[in-house]
Structures are given as C-alpha cells and as structure tokens.
Amino acid sequence: MAKIFYELRQNKNAKSSIKGKWFAHSKSVETMNTRKLAKHISEHGSVYTTDVVFGVLEKFRSCLVEMLLESKRVKIDGLGTFFTTIENEPGGADKKEEFNVVKNLKALHIRFMPEQEQEMNISSREFIKKAEFINVDAMGGEKKESTGGSGSGSGSNQSGNTGGGGDDSGMDQN
C-alpha cells in the first residue's frame, strides 16, 4: 500500500474561526525529477531504456504546454485532464470596452482534474482509500493509520478529519 507521510500543524491565524485547531499536512520525502521518473519507469519491466523514456516524458511536457497555450484540454486516460484557467485582477473592468488583458489579467494557471471514470477513479475521495497515512512525528513509535484499502487503522488521521485537513486550515500546503 502507498505510504503518505504527514505532519500535524496548528492553525495560528488570529482571524480564523478555527484558530488553535490541528490539521494534517502532507510531507514529501523526495521530489522526483523527469530523469528519476524515467529511470523508475524503465526499471518496471520496461523494454525501453531510461534515455528513451526520458525523451518521451520531455516531449510530453513540451507538447502539453503547447496544447494548453492553444486553449486545448489534454486528457491522459487513467490519470486526468490538464486545462487552463484565468485569474483576473480584483475589481475587474467597469465596462466591457474598457477590459484590457495587460491591465485586468493577473495570471494564467495550469489546472488538473483527476480521472473520475469508475474503473480508474483517482479523485480525492477514492485516492485517499488507497493510502496508508504515517505521522512523521511518530516515525519511531510506528504510528500508522489508514483510511481504507488493504491497510488497517482508525479510518481517519490524528486530527480527526477524514479529508486530511484540506484547505480550511488557513495554512500553506506542501
């Protein structure tokens, strides 16, 4: 089973209605760059060498960006869909004729929507069922909890939120 490491953090935002509450935040153990991912893929019984897999991944990246910049969505079957959204400057334009891209647009974001087809569903509600959660502060004490899948445990993380704390904590995510 997959192991998701987390640490508990307290909300210290004085303006928050949930100040003082504790929330789980994911803790990454490593950042896999394209070369490391290519090596990993090639070691999974692939007939392709690391350099071939790397080339395909690099071409995928450049083509993905190209397609997104042409206002296309890119669906990767079994994974999900990449698409763009526009962030506007606060306040907007007073009149349609006054709207100016340079003045009124703040950012262009790349977004991702996980696959939600029944057989390959990796939406957040299904994805959490496949993971075993390990509190990094309790690594020596073997505190393991699971929300589903084949693991055992309490069915929630230590903060008591089955959703893992989410964005309602008012704190930055890893």
Side-chain angles (χ1 to χ4, degrees):
M1 174 170 277
K3 291 178 175 54
I4 302 295
F5 294 98
Y6 70 94
E7 62 186 1
L8 295 175
R9 295 187 200 158
Q10 188 175 33
N11 180 336
K12 296 179 181 177
N13 183 346
K15 297 178 183 179
S16 175
S17 63
I18 53 173
K19 181 180 187 278
K21 302 288 185 180
W22 290 84
F23 296 90
H25 291 265
S26 61
K27 184 75 174 168
S28 297
V29 296
E30 179 181 4
T31 299
M32 296 286 290
N33 64 21
T34 310
R35 288 218 181 269
K36 286 182 181 179
L37 182 59
K39 184 173 190 267
H40 177 81
I41 291 169
S42 71
E43 291 172 347
H44 268 269
S46 174
V47 296
Y48 302 106
T49 60
T50 301
D51 59 333
V52 171
V53 175
F54 177 80
V56 171
L57 290 172
E58 185 58 27
K59 184 54 85 174
F60 167 77
R61 182 204 54 80
S62 66
C63 290
L64 173 66
V65 170
E66 178 186 357
M67 295 297 101
L68 292 173
L69 289 172
E70 290 182 9
S71 292
K72 296 178 181 177
R73 288 176 170 247
V74 178
K75 181 178 182 186
I76 308 302
D77 296 333
L79 185 63
T81 304
F82 293 89
F83 59 98
T84 59
T85 60
I86 293 173
E87 182 180 354
N88 291 275
E89 289 289 352
D94 291 329
K95 297 179 183 172
K96 187 176 185 177
E97 318 60 60
E98 293 177 359
F99 183 88
N100 179 300
V101 170
V102 174
K103 178 183 172 192
N104 296 105
L105 293 188
K106 185 173 184 176
L108 179 63
H109 299 284
I110 297 174
R111 303 291 190 203
F112 176 75
M113 175 65 71
E115 179 72 61
Q116 295 184 24
E117 296 293 323
Q118 194 60 30
E119 63 196 43
M120 297 182 250
N121 190 337
I122 59 169
S123 65
S124 58
R125 291 177 194 251
E126 292 300 315
F127 201 48
I128 194 171
K129 295 176 185 176
K130 296 173 173 45
E132 176 183 349
F133 291 86
I134 301 171
N135 184 339
V136 296
D137 295 330
M139 291 286 285
E142 285 300 308
K143 262 191 185 173
K144 293 183 181 180
E145 302 171 37
S146 175
T147 60
S150 61
S152 60
S154 67
S156 68
N157 61 39
Q158 284 190 337
S159 68
N161 297 326
T162 57
D167 291 334
D168 60 349
S169 66
M171 297 174 23
D172 291 336
Q173 299 285 324
N174 280 354

